[in-house]
Amino acid sequence: MEELRDRILKEGHALNEAVLKVDSFLNHKVDPKLMYEIGTNFKKYFENRGITKVFTIESSGIAPAVMTAMQMNLPMVILKKQASKVLNDDFYQTIVHSFTKGSDYQLTLSKKYISKDDNILIIDDFLANGEASLGAIRLVEECGAKVSGIGIVIEKSFQPGREVLEKRGYDVYSLARIKKLGKDLIEFIK
Ligand code: 5GP
């Protein structure tokens, strides 16, 4: 998505060779028009697959996911990050390692918001090692539902996330794919 690549080049800032900051339009301040275009793109790619719900991981996935859900006329569900295990049977939970924080959290989903007949599209802001997506997949599949696709706004293709997910048979669609990050350097896969 050219408009997204342009914004990343103009406003993105590589903290080091592995982490990109895009706080001015995606992760802190949010550009709703760009999010709308992102939603349009995801809809175009994922429509006609019988998807029933859009799932995302709090909090930076929410803006692109809600625009995608709106355009696909579907409900959106936010998977919550909790510090500790919930001690009752009303929730599915799985431990996920956070790439940016370096610590673990309990990804949490209320059983009220999924059923075994659901066909889920997962949307997230970044793909690095694939831990967040794999956690979301575990929660969906624990209930017997299906993941029909994974939509990523910014994929860091030099990290293993895509390969890990594709090896397991999931369709990963990313709007911007970064080949290399470095001081004053952001290089895309065309
Ligand atoms: P993964 O679980 O694929 O290793 O990492 C993806 C998650 O970590 C995303 O949900 C995102 O919030 C965060 N993340 C990974 N890499 C980056 C990055 O370079 N910049 C920012 N802002 N977040 C990242």
Side-chain angles (χ1 to χ4, degrees):
M1 183 179 161
E2 197 179 341
E3 193 184 343
L4 175 65
R5 285 198 296 268
D6 288 347
R7 284 297 282 277
I8 294 170
L9 285 177
K10 220 194 269 167
E11 297 177 36
H13 169 61
L15 283 187
N16 50 47
E17 287 177 2
V19 179
L20 178 68
K21 277 197 89 150
V22 284
D23 277 10
S24 63
F25 62 89
L26 180 60
N27 292 143
H28 197 354
K29 182 171 159 240
V30 174
D31 180 342
K33 283 194 181 137
L34 183 65
M35 296 304 121
Y36 182 87
E37 293 305 324
I38 284 170
T40 307
N41 259 272
F42 282 140
K43 178 194 171 177
K44 230 184 247 167
Y45 187 81
F46 288 111
E47 65 188 347
N48 305 322
R49 293 190 186 197
I51 287 166
T52 57
K53 284 182 186 126
V54 176
F55 275 25
T56 194
I57 297 141
E58 71 172 351
S59 60
S60 302
I62 295 173
V66 77
M67 288 296 183
T68 306
M70 188 186 76
Q71 304 231 29
M72 295 178 82
N73 197 23
L74 294 172
M76 187 204 55
V77 174
I78 303 163
L79 303 176
K80 306 276 199 174
K81 292 175 180 169
Q82 298 203 327
S84 57
K85 200 148 176 62
V86 175
L87 295 171
N88 67 53
D89 287 342
D90 299 337
F91 298 90
Y92 295 113
Q93 281 195 311
T94 188
I95 294 174
V96 171
H97 185 73
S98 164
F99 175 81
T100 41
K101 296 202 172 74
S103 54
D104 291 349
Y105 58 86
Q106 294 273 357
L107 195 64
T108 303
L109 166 65
S110 168
K111 291 183 179 175
K112 281 191 291 194
Y113 302 131
I114 188 162
S115 78
K116 66 174 179 32
D117 301 323
D118 271 324
N119 206 356
I120 304 295
L121 169 62
I122 296 169
I123 299 285
D124 204 8
D125 60 337
F126 273 91
L127 178 63
N129 294 325
E131 296 286 332
S133 296
L134 286 172
I137 290 166
R138 285 196 295 278
L139 295 182
V140 170
E141 293 183 350
E142 191 180 340
C143 151
K146 185 177 157 207
V147 172
S148 281
I150 300 167
I152 300 290
V153 180
I154 304 174
E155 172 189 317
K156 292 179 294 175
S157 308
F158 54 89
Q159 292 172 322
R162 169 180 285 274
E163 200 188 328
V164 166
L165 296 168
E166 283 185 338
K167 264 196 187 146
R168 293 176 189 221
Y170 299 102
D171 182 12
V172 180
Y173 176 64
S174 306
L175 300 181
R177 300 183 68 196
I178 295 178
K179 186 157 71 176
K180 202 166 178 203
L181 271 187
K183 193 175 177 300
D184 302 324
L185 174 88
I186 302 173
E187 219 180 291
F188 294 102
I189 291 178
K190 285 295 164 210

